[in-house]
């Protein structure tokens, strides 16, 4: 508590807190610059400082508003300092229920735009990534993009079509992904494509026959949705280009 009240401004912010001062005492347990997780809320619940998780969320936000907690957003800045990064493995090497990675949001991906030399990027199995930023087009050297089992991924930006050196793209087990972006057929260096999506014609702007321009494609796996509409001639067109 002494550390929290060292300055007059800090003392004023503590007085603005609408909840039990015991919450501030719980913060005093941690050293300066400690990284706190939201599971701190369960401690407050156990001590009777908040009644339920939703109230704990509100208190956590109040502490952020009073600047008694500072958002931990150093990851984009950290990535921006790595000028010669070639390989970045942020996700799992293997996906299993005992190994779970979740992020608050995808804002940490903003730091990727400076990685002109990055060749390999894996976000495999990371939860709560709903989309990739358009700035992914800046990864001019990217050859391998592994998004397997990013279960919250809903969209891929059309900017992926700018990754002319991309040889491997894995979006398998991304079950919320409605379709792949148009322009995918422009990735003429692509050799491995896992998780190509076929749904209804309205939800699948890029069809299987569009891939016939990918002359270097060696391996293709397809996810067929329950409402998928497939015409036989689509595969015939693909066969004709083989």
């Amino acid at each position: 508590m002494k550390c929290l009240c060292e300055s007059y401004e800090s003392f004023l912010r503590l007085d603005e807190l609408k909840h039990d001062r015991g919450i501030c005492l719980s913060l005093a347990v941690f050293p300066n610059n400690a990284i706190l997780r939201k599971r701190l809320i369960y401690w407050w619940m156990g001590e009777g400082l908040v009644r339920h998780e939703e109230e704990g969320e509100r208190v956590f936000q109040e502490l952020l508003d009073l600047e008694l907690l500072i958002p931990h957003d150093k990851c984009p800045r950290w990535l921006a300092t790595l000028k010669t990064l070639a390989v970045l493995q942020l996700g799992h090497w293997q996906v299993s229920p005992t190994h779970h990675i979740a992020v608050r949001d995808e804002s940490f991906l903003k730091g990727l735009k400076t990685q002109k030399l990055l060749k390999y990027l894996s976000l495999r199995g990371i939860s709560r990534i709903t989309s990739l930023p358009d700035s992914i087009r800046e990864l001019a050297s990217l050859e391998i993009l592994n998004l397997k089992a990013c279960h919250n991924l809903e969209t891929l930006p059309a900017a992926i079509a700018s990754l002319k050196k991309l040889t491997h793209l894995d979006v398998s087990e991304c079950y919320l992904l409605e379709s792949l972006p148009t322009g995918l057929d422009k990735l003429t260096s692509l050799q491995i494509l896992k998780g190509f999506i076929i749904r209804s014609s309205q939800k699948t702007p890029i069809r299987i026959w569009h891939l016939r321009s990918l002359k270097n494609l060696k391996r293709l796996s397809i996810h067929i949705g329950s409402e998928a509409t497939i015409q036989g001639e689509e595969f015939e067109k693909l066969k004709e280009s083989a």
Side-chain angles (χ1 to χ4, degrees):
M1 180 62 78
K2 180 181 178 182
C3 293
L4 289 172
C5 296
E6 280 182 346
S7 71
Y8 180 66
E9 289 183 0
S10 294
F11 185 77
L12 287 179
R13 290 201 298 273
L14 285 175
D15 271 358
E16 291 175 25
L17 191 65
K18 300 180 180 67
H19 295 80
D20 196 302
R21 293 282 289 271
I23 289 174
C24 295
L25 287 173
S26 72
L27 299 182
V29 170
F30 301 96
N32 288 337
N33 299 318
I35 298 175
L36 305 183
R37 310 294 182 187
K38 278 196 174 181
R39 54 178 172 264
L40 181 66
I41 291 171
Y42 300 123
W43 179 18
W44 295 342
M45 291 170 62
E47 295 285 351
L49 301 175
V50 296
R51 291 165 294 177
H52 44 71
E53 191 169 351
E54 291 76 13
E55 183 181 1
E57 290 277 356
R58 290 195 294 270
V59 173
F60 206 94
Q61 185 58 50
E62 190 177 341
L63 291 169
L64 289 169
D65 294 341
L66 293 173
E67 298 183 348
L68 291 171
L69 294 180
I70 305 298
H72 183 61
D73 60 351
K74 294 181 180 179
C75 189
R77 295 196 296 270
W78 170 75
L79 283 172
T81 63
L82 303 176
K83 301 299 183 183
T84 59
L85 195 64
V87 175
L88 183 58
Q89 172 80 32
L90 294 177
H92 301 294
W93 287 107
Q94 59 183 6
V95 177
S96 74
T98 58
H99 296 85
H100 180 70
I101 300 176
V103 294
R104 183 176 62 184
D105 53 47
E106 57 267 17
S107 60
F108 73 98
L109 295 173
K110 294 178 181 178
L112 288 173
K113 63 183 179 181
T114 61
Q115 303 306 318
K116 306 294 185 182
L117 303 179
L118 191 66
K119 295 182 178 180
Y120 172 94
L121 172 63
S122 176
L123 304 175
R124 178 178 176 175
I126 299 180
S127 298
R128 299 183 185 173
I129 295 177
T130 59
S131 63
L132 299 183
D134 285 335
S135 58
I136 196 171
R137 64 165 50 92
E138 304 296 333
L139 304 182
S141 301
L142 195 65
E143 297 177 9
I144 299 174
L145 178 58
N146 189 347
L147 302 172
K148 180 176 181 177
C150 289
H151 294 147
N152 299 108
L153 187 64
E154 298 176 1
T155 58
L156 287 179
I160 281 186
S162 302
L163 305 178
K164 300 302 183 183
K165 293 186 177 181
L166 200 67
T167 61
H168 293 64
L169 174 60
D170 191 345
V171 289
S172 57
E173 299 181 36
C174 296
Y175 300 120
L176 294 183
L177 199 59
E178 288 286 342
S179 67
L180 297 184
T182 55
L184 193 72
D185 54 318
K186 302 296 192 295
L187 298 177
T188 54
S189 298
L190 207 59
Q191 299 176 22
I192 307 294
L193 175 56
K194 296 182 180 180
F196 183 82
I197 301 167
I198 298 179
R199 299 192 190 276
S200 66
S201 56
Q202 292 79 14
K203 293 183 177 180
T204 310
I206 181 168
R207 306 297 293 183
I208 189 71
W209 60 270
H210 285 117
L211 303 182
R212 61 186 176 180
S213 61
L214 303 181
K215 303 299 183 182
N216 292 309
L217 196 63
K218 299 176 181 177
R219 184 175 179 183
L220 172 66
S221 69
I222 300 173
H223 172 72
I224 301 177
S226 58
E227 75 281 22
T229 54
I230 305 174
Q231 303 296 328
E233 58 267 23
E234 292 192 50
F235 286 94
E236 288 298 323
K237 291 178 182 178
L238 187 63
K239 183 180 178 181
E240 290 170 7
S241 65

